[in-house]
Amino acid sequence: MLLRQLEPRTARTTAEVIRFALWPLAVMTVLHRVFIKAVNGFVTDDYRPVYNASFQFLNGNPVYTANFDSVDPHYLYPPSGTLLIAPVAIIDYEKSRWLFILLNAIAILIAWYLLLKLFRYTVNSVAAPALLLAMFASETVINTLVFTNVNGCLLLGELVFLHLILARRDLWAGAVLGLTIAVKPTLAPLLLIAAARGQWKVFITAAGVPVALTAAAWPLMVDPEKFFTDVTPYLMETRDYFNSAIVGNAEYYGLPPWLTWGIRIVMGLIVLGTLWLLYRYYREDELFFVCTSAGVLLTAYYLLSSLGQMYYSMMLFPFLMTVVLRNSVLRNWPAWLAIFGFLSYDKWLSDRWQDVGRNLEYLRITFGWGLLLLVVFCVLGDRYLAARAAGTLDKGLDQDWMRTAPDPRGPVDAPDAATGGTPTAKGGAPGPAAANGTAATIEPAPPTAEVPAGHRP
């Protein structure tokens, strides 16, 4: 069957032309990123401190011995993360690093498949190679593999969590999120989505898993308390290197504290306004609400906290994929200008215009995150004002054309026994869930419808 799929043939439709063109580009890009660029590595090595700490843990030596006065990557995982990561040091460093690169690549590929499935696409769709190529061409995936950190596994955890929370399998969703929090709290803001949806059981396992792992790791470590006495205070500080959060760039450029706090407060109010509009008018549109809220929360977390790094943007892939929804807030050029800022692998450092190039390179991530939050707020705000003027707030914020426009993902088949009564798109992927946990009804289309970048010394 696989060989038959690979048999060369002439495309007969526009969709086939695009698929046939994109699949070789996507596959070769993946192979290059994993086996050439990642294995070659770079001067920045996030994996070395992780391997060293794991080696010390397995040999009964202190783990938290980093010198925080240096700008080299430090080991910052909690005891629970140390317990989970420790097996990487069973073999020698080079082989361990290669296996960890492969693990992350596999995790990203599984996340790619789950992302397609979340939005009712199959691997036979045009979206499949386009999404795969876009992911592995982005800075966030490239540097995750090259620097060899755990972000690929976190992305997989996020996609599994989104699938489970939409299916209302709360305890399992919390367990998956808890595993990611046990390593690093990058996805912790997603707990607010569970709270907004009243899925309180998520909190039981989301808190229970890291607590249980910490309890298990504590007696096995020589210095577990140093994570709280040494590492945690360091994490609360603002550093002016490898930090694209507002406070990081403010520290680097010497902005006065009142201005830094003013910017953070204004952006925080914008985020609160956005989340209120989403909760008030979109929480019944489950797929849109969950993925858009996740993107807003995570973007705000990276921008407004004490540390935000460019490759965290990998966690925004589910939000960016909402562009295929008819009521997406990303169907405008300012949104994609913002996305270019924090996803592009291009470097803007210039030999001819050094000051301008340096500022563009250092600020494009911060401006990208900030502009994305502004765009979402403005789009939702404009919809709110238009609906209020038209007296249709009781029907929601979506305009009539959004409700009646053909779904770009294609028509939905009728429910059948094979899918448990869940409508599916042509190709068999399940449709998005509705607010009560059942499948949402989607109108079918009419028959006639047709450093690396971001890092500074």
Side-chain angles (χ1 to χ4, degrees):
M1 188 68 174
L2 177 61
L3 293 177
R4 190 163 186 178
Q5 289 290 329
L6 295 177
E7 178 184 351
R9 59 185 185 274
T10 300
R12 298 184 179 184
T13 65
T14 301
E16 284 189 341
V17 170
I18 297 174
R19 285 205 314 270
F20 291 172
L22 289 183
W23 268 119
L25 299 178
V27 171
M28 296 309 296
T29 298
V30 171
L31 294 176
H32 175 266
R33 300 302 191 251
V34 175
F35 295 105
I36 303 300
K37 199 163 186 66
V39 172
N40 287 348
F42 189 71
V43 64
T44 301
D45 186 355
D46 289 346
Y47 191 65
R48 174 63 73 176
V50 171
Y51 181 88
N52 290 343
S54 299
F55 185 83
Q56 297 301 329
F57 171 78
L58 293 178
N59 287 275
N61 297 321
V63 169
Y64 300 110
T65 59
N67 175 17
F68 294 132
D69 293 328
S70 74
V71 297
D72 295 329
H74 307 305
Y75 183 73
L76 304 174
Y77 294 166
S80 54
T82 303
L83 182 64
L84 291 175
I85 296 288
V88 302
I90 294 176
I91 58 178
D92 66 88
Y93 171 77
E94 185 176 46
K95 293 186 179 64
S96 176
R97 180 175 176 272
W98 291 353
L99 287 175
F100 203 72
I101 290 171
L102 189 60
L103 173 66
N104 268 280
I106 292 172
I108 294 170
L109 290 173
I110 297 174
W112 161 76
Y113 174 76
L114 292 177
L115 188 53
L116 288 173
K117 188 175 180 182
L118 187 65
F119 286 87
R120 294 197 292 107
Y121 286 107
T122 70
V123 293
N124 294 321
S125 66
V126 173
L131 177 61
L132 186 62
L133 178 61
M135 290 172 69
F136 277 83
S138 68
E139 183 277 347
T140 180
V141 168
I142 294 172
N143 280 346
T144 287
L145 296 173
V146 172
F147 298 167
T148 320
N149 58 50
V150 75
N151 289 338
C153 298
L154 297 184
L155 176 64
L156 175 57
E158 180 187 12
L159 264 300
V160 174
F161 169 77
L162 293 177
H163 274 271
L164 291 172
I165 199 171
L166 284 168
R168 296 193 173 271
R169 301 179 65 179
D170 296 355
L171 292 177
W172 282 109
V176 171
L177 192 62
L179 279 174
T180 70
I181 294 173
V183 177
K184 55 195 301 188
T186 307
L187 299 177
L190 297 184
L191 286 170
L192 293 177
I193 296 176
R197 288 163 54 85
Q199 294 176 257
W200 302 108
K201 290 182 180 179
V202 170
F203 288 82
I204 297 174
T205 43
V209 168
V211 168
L213 289 171
T214 300
W218 199 277
L220 302 177
M221 298 182 67
V222 176
D223 57 345
E225 72 286 346
K226 285 193 174 182
F227 174 78
F228 300 97
T229 60
D230 296 353
V231 177
T232 301
Y234 170 76
L235 292 174
M236 300 300 292
E237 297 175 357
T238 299
R239 69 191 200 195
D240 62 357
Y241 61 94
F242 301 154
N243 188 358
S244 296
I246 289 174
V247 290
N249 271 314
E251 190 79 11
Y252 180 80
Y253 285 99
L255 269 61
W258 66 266
L259 181 57
T260 304
W261 275 106
I263 297 172
R264 295 174 81 187
I265 290 171
V266 169
M267 293 303 301
L269 292 174
I270 288 172
V271 170
L272 288 177
T274 301
L275 293 174
W276 181 83
L277 289 171
L278 287 169
Y279 177 78
R280 176 69 178 82
Y281 295 103
Y282 283 102
R283 66 181 182 273
E284 302 300 327
D285 186 353
E286 289 200 314
L287 182 62
F288 174 85
F289 173 74
V290 168
C291 291
T292 304
S293 298
V296 171
L297 285 168
L298 293 175
T299 305
Y301 181 48
Y302 307 150
L303 184 67
L304 302 178
S305 66
S306 60
L307 177 63
Q309 294 184 297
M310 189 176 182
Y311 51 42
Y312 292 171
S313 301
M314 182 187 295
M315 310 308 156
L316 303 183
F317 284 159
F319 175 39
L320 304 187
M321 192 66 179
T322 62
V323 72
V324 303
L325 302 178
R326 289 172 287 191
N327 57 353
S328 172
V329 295
L330 301 179
R331 291 189 168 193
N332 54 81
W333 69 261
W336 291 93
L337 175 63
I339 292 164
F340 176 86
F342 59 75
L343 279 191
S344 169
Y345 192 63
D346 296 338
K347 290 176 67 70
W348 286 79
L349 298 175
S350 170
D351 294 333
R352 178 62 182 84
W353 300 284
Q354 294 186 9
D355 288 341
V356 174
R358 186 183 303 111
N359 291 334
L360 285 173
E361 178 64 18
Y362 294 174
L363 292 172
R364 67 185 179 92
I365 306 102
T366 310
F367 285 172
W369 289 336
L371 178 58
L372 185 63
L373 293 175
L374 286 172
V375 167
V376 178
F377 175 74
C378 289
V379 170
L380 293 177
D382 179 68
R383 291 181 188 177
Y384 172 81
L385 294 175
R388 189 176 69 173
T392 59
L393 283 176
D394 57 322
K395 298 180 181 179
L397 302 188
D398 287 350
Q399 299 175 18
D400 289 339
W401 70 265
M402 295 180 187
R403 302 186 186 97
T404 59
D407 192 327
R409 297 170 295 168
V412 179
D413 291 337
D416 55 47
T419 58
T422 301
T424 58
K426 300 294 185 184
N436 62 1
T438 60
T441 301
I442 298 177
E443 295 294 332
T448 57
E450 299 286 356
V451 155
H455 290 267
R456 59 173 178 258

